[in-house]
Amino acid sequence: MHKSLQFILVGLAAMTGLTISPTIAATQDMELRVGPGGVGIYDRDRDRGRYDGYDRRGPRGCDPNDALDIARGEGLRRAQVVRMSPRAIVVQGMTRRGPERMTFANRRGCPEI
């Protein structure tokens, strides 16, 4: 009787260990953070394989606001974007001599054409 009870206890301990071990492994990716917002649980594995297509280095082409800033820096007043294509951005404004146009390549850094 004592031997059979011992085998039953060993069997229960083995089954309990098998059910607990995946739970322990799964919780290793969790982290408890305390900050100004309070206490929160953070899942480290949540964002690992996620790619939403957003390039974190910034826009690949010339931003129209950057083209306007460059044109204003060159002395163009009342500058506005007149035309935008995949290859170029055209900014029009006024100088001391009258109306003027500046054309920028639609590449990073907005080089003037």
Side-chain angles (χ1 to χ4, degrees):
M1 175 83 172
H2 185 60
K3 283 272 193 196
S4 62
L5 185 61
Q6 187 178 9
F7 282 125
I8 291 173
L9 289 176
V10 169
L12 285 174
M15 287 193 314
T16 307
L18 290 176
T19 57
I20 290 177
S21 62
T23 309
I24 292 171
T27 59
Q28 287 179 355
D29 289 336
M30 297 289 232
E31 161 177 315
L32 187 65
R33 289 190 178 175
V34 179
V39 178
I41 297 175
Y42 175 70
D43 184 11
R44 283 188 262 169
D45 196 34
R46 184 186 66 182
D47 297 330
R48 186 168 292 168
R50 197 173 114 195
Y51 176 70
D52 55 0
Y54 177 70
D55 187 11
R56 283 151 177 74
R57 293 176 297 183
R60 292 188 181 267
C62 176
D63 186 34
N65 292 328
D66 290 342
L68 285 172
D69 289 341
I70 293 170
R72 288 181 186 132
E74 292 290 324
L76 216 58
R77 293 177 302 211
R78 294 187 294 191
Q80 59 183 357
V81 176
V82 178
R83 192 181 74 156
M84 196 170 154
S85 71
R87 290 187 168 205
I89 296 176
V90 179
V91 177
Q92 185 175 0
M94 297 295 286
T95 62
R96 292 180 184 172
R97 290 179 262 159
E100 185 74 34
R101 270 189 183 185
M102 293 180 80
T103 306
F104 299 96
N106 198 355
R107 291 183 16 206
R108 187 179 294 160
C110 301
E112 187 176 352
I113 300 176

